[in-house]
Amino acid sequence: MGRMNNSRKASFKELVNCAAQHVLSWLNPDGSFPAGHNGPYHHPETPVRNTAHWLFLTASLFIQSGEEKWKEAGEKAIDFLKSPKARPHYQTFHCRDRIGFDSCNGLIGQAWVIEALVKASEAFDRQDCYELAEEVFLLHPWDENVGIWSRVEVDGTGLYYDGTFNHQLWFAAAGGMLYKTPVAQERVEAFLEKIAVNVQLYSTGIIFHSSAMGHLTDYLKTGVKPLLRETKFRLKKRIKKNGLYSKSVGYHGFNLYGFAILKKVFPNAPIWETPNFFKLLTAHRLQNFIRDVRNSEFGYRYNLAGIEIAFAVETFFNDKEEVRVWLNRQMEVTFLSDTAVLSRDAHDPNTAMARIYQAARFSEDYEVITG
């Protein structure tokens, strides 16, 4: 696929549809889509993540169009995600193959599958998908004192808290989608009240990638050992803060997208009216951020800063012109062709292609410039 020589105007929804249509030919006999290696981290992944992303998109396209091809592909993807290949011990999903790292890929690996299964349950009237999403979500221990979740390995072994803020945020977003599960809703609201509202920011409003979560006194309620461990983690994180600014910039849109999902579910949550949240919500408008996100290796070519910020702008401000600006910034950096909208110079083309599923949540269509 070559990059187009001449720029032109195009419907963003049509580009998403075109990319999805192209990828239908990639569907494997077992229902999986090609695996990737999670971009600049280069950790080999199983097909679970990308299959979940394509399931979310095919389910969304079926809701929009009713075309049977999307349902057929989606149900094959469901078969894979329910199989022992994806969930070998019938506990959490096997997302990553990297020695020295968990195979569940923390909370984030599970969040991506949960959101896809809930969307599939709505699109294809599959109660079994909702039940599986609920089961996996509730497998994860919840600490009501601190307000965060712990990881669970693929064999069911309990692991320590997931210490990455965006992982906790996205797991909360996925849990918020479990609209028929009161305990999930309650825990997500508690996360927003205890953790998200107090997320650490740089002076610019950018979310610190290794933000501490919760008050140290809350960890003491769970025992001396967790308190000592958390204190040690926080000292290490503080030392690394300056060195993580570029990475934090690259993940800021990813965080905003997670917050936008939660805004749809909890429109009246107190967090939305706090000064801290307004500061992080508007940080993307600073000229330094616009420059820095383009330079971050985690900005447009791994995370989809343009699409993610555009969705947050649509959700929180409903500013159509600003949405178009951010979508066009994404196109300027990653557009390769109509069937490879996010692939130019991608660290991991398979995952870059699959992440276009994030565009499925837009309420409206937008005109973009390609080429």
Side-chain angles (χ1 to χ4, degrees):
M1 301 175 205
R3 180 182 171 186
M4 299 180 67
N5 294 321
N6 300 314
S7 63
R8 62 182 175 83
K9 295 179 180 179
S11 154
F12 189 60
K13 281 193 174 182
E14 288 180 7
L15 289 176
V16 174
N17 192 299
C18 185
Q21 175 66 46
H22 173 73
V23 171
L24 286 180
S25 63
W26 295 6
L27 184 62
N28 293 314
D30 64 358
S32 67
F33 284 87
H37 58 70
N38 82 337
Y41 298 103
H42 294 280
H43 297 169
E45 295 189 331
T46 72
V48 167
R49 173 186 180 173
N50 288 347
T51 301
H53 289 346
W54 288 118
L55 172 58
F56 190 102
L57 184 53
T58 55
S60 300
L61 291 173
F62 180 72
I63 290 172
Q64 293 171 21
S65 70
E67 293 183 67
E68 197 65 23
K69 63 185 177 184
W70 304 123
K71 184 177 183 181
E72 291 175 2
E75 293 203 318
K76 288 178 182 177
I78 292 169
D79 289 343
F80 172 76
L81 292 173
K82 294 186 71 177
S83 75
K85 291 181 182 178
R87 198 170 170 236
H89 301 280
Y90 299 100
Q91 298 292 315
T92 55
F93 293 94
H94 182 191
C95 299
R96 175 166 58 184
D97 282 317
R98 172 80 172 184
I99 295 174
F101 292 80
D102 57 40
S103 298
C104 58
N105 193 9
L107 294 176
I108 191 68
Q110 308 306 302
W112 281 322
V113 187
I114 290 168
E115 65 167 349
L117 289 170
V118 175
K119 177 60 72 172
S121 74
E122 299 169 355
F124 309 134
D125 193 23
R126 292 282 299 264
Q127 178 64 19
D128 59 323
C129 289
Y130 185 95
E131 290 171 355
L132 177 54
E134 178 186 62
E135 178 185 346
V136 173
F137 181 84
L138 295 177
L139 279 175
H140 291 78
W142 163 253
D143 189 315
E144 63 181 12
N145 293 308
V146 180
I148 56 177
W149 291 271
S150 295
R151 299 166 294 145
V152 176
E153 192 51 285
V154 296
D155 63 359
T157 302
L159 304 175
Y160 195 63
Y161 305 120
D162 192 319
T164 303
F165 175 75
N166 73 69
H167 288 197
Q168 294 279 350
L169 175 66
W170 269 74
F171 196 73
M177 293 176 65
L178 293 168
Y179 58 95
K180 294 187 287 187
T181 311
V183 66
Q185 302 286 299
E186 291 166 8
R187 291 175 181 178
V188 173
E189 288 186 283
F191 170 81
L192 287 173
E193 292 170 10
K194 289 190 171 188
I195 305 299
V197 72
N198 294 311
V199 64
Q200 290 178 286
L201 309 179
Y202 291 91
S203 61
T204 56
I206 304 303
I207 295 170
F208 174 36
H209 186 75
S210 292
S211 173
M213 287 180 280
H215 300 290
L216 277 176
T217 52
D218 292 333
Y219 288 86
L220 180 58
K221 296 173 187 176
T222 67
V224 175
K225 188 175 180 180
L227 174 65
L228 294 175
R229 186 168 185 172
E230 182 63 20
T231 302
K232 183 179 179 181
F233 281 172
R234 292 188 184 204
L235 289 172
K236 288 182 177 179
K237 289 174 178 179
R238 189 177 300 173
I239 294 170
K240 294 179 180 179
K241 191 171 183 180
N242 289 338
L244 284 176
Y245 186 74
S246 180
K247 186 173 186 177
S248 298
V249 166
Y251 271 88
H252 194 71
F254 187 63
N255 283 309
L256 289 181
Y257 188 101
F259 276 122
I261 297 172
L262 287 161
K263 171 67 171 176
K264 298 277 190 183
V265 181
F266 303 102
N268 300 314
I271 184 177
W272 315 132
E273 304 301 323
T274 62
N276 204 50
F277 184 75
F278 182 77
K279 186 175 183 179
L280 71 87
L281 181 61
T282 54
H284 67 277
R285 292 173 174 168
L286 299 175
Q287 287 302 312
N288 284 352
F289 176 85
I290 294 168
R291 177 200 66 209
D292 293 343
V293 73
R294 190 175 181 114
N295 293 332
S296 173
E297 66 175 332
F298 300 96
Y300 291 106
R301 292 186 175 88
Y302 178 56
N303 293 315
L304 311 181
I307 290 174
E308 291 161 350
I309 294 171
F311 177 62
V313 169
E314 182 188 73
T315 302
F316 287 99
F317 301 112
N318 195 26
D319 185 330
K320 296 178 177 58
E321 181 54 34
E322 191 178 8
V323 171
R324 281 191 287 269
V325 166
W326 280 101
L327 289 178
N328 279 313
R329 285 172 176 154
Q330 184 74 51
M331 295 298 98
E332 184 181 351
V333 175
T334 64
F335 183 83
L336 184 62
S337 72
D338 285 9
T339 56
V341 179
L342 306 174
S343 296
R344 190 197 312 163
D345 300 327
H347 295 279
D348 172 5
N350 287 347
T351 303
M353 288 282 286
R355 292 191 77 166
I356 202 169
Y357 92 94
Q358 288 181 264
R361 283 191 166 99
F362 283 103
S363 298
E364 299 185 32
D365 194 8
Y366 298 93
E367 186 177 81
V368 294
I369 306 298
T370 67

